[in-house]
Amino acid sequence: NSLGDNPLMRQHHVPWQKKIPKVFWRGSLSAPDRVILSDAGTMPRVRLMHLANKHPHLFDVGITDVDPEFLQHSGNRQKVQALVDSLHMTGHVNSKQHSP
């Protein structure tokens, strides 16, 4: 299969003439093991969110979840939630789903 020729993907095909000039991305907030929460601003996905917030006409991006390992290693669910809130992410910290 070539990229985009999967029969399941054909239903989502958009002709080039109808595409909009925006970056689209969704994914979870993840980080290398033992990242320090105060260094979160250096993480690529956080940097992407900052860039998207500054230029919303160019980006449609969102973080939909928080990686359980990142949440566990951060050691501070409230600070992670504050980071999520500050980035205007589409997800949130779910204490039942991500219990360490």
Side-chain angles (χ1 to χ4, degrees):
N1 282 348
S2 295
L3 184 62
D5 73 347
N6 182 313
L8 296 174
M9 297 305 293
R10 287 189 191 131
Q11 66 184 352
H12 301 290
H13 177 74
V14 176
W16 278 108
Q17 300 82 2
K18 293 188 176 186
K19 292 184 186 248
I20 58 173
K22 257 189 181 185
V23 173
F24 177 86
W25 180 83
R26 295 289 185 274
S28 63
L29 179 61
S30 59
D33 289 346
R34 307 292 181 212
V35 69
I36 299 169
L37 192 55
S38 62
D39 288 341
T42 66
M43 296 166 29
R45 294 175 183 196
V46 172
R47 293 174 60 204
L48 175 63
M49 291 299 297
H50 284 301
L51 188 61
N53 286 337
K54 289 180 184 176
H55 305 283
H57 60 287
L58 297 175
F59 295 90
D60 179 358
V61 300
I63 294 187
T64 57
D65 201 3
V66 178
D67 177 50
E69 287 183 30
F70 172 61
L71 192 57
Q72 180 180 3
H73 293 303
S74 74
N76 192 322
R77 188 175 309 275
Q78 289 78 20
K79 285 190 178 182
V80 173
Q81 183 65 56
L83 174 64
V84 169
D85 293 343
S86 74
L87 295 174
H88 310 290
M89 297 177 185
T90 59
H92 64 280
V93 178
N94 183 333
S95 58
K96 290 181 183 174
Q97 184 178 357
H98 300 297
S99 295

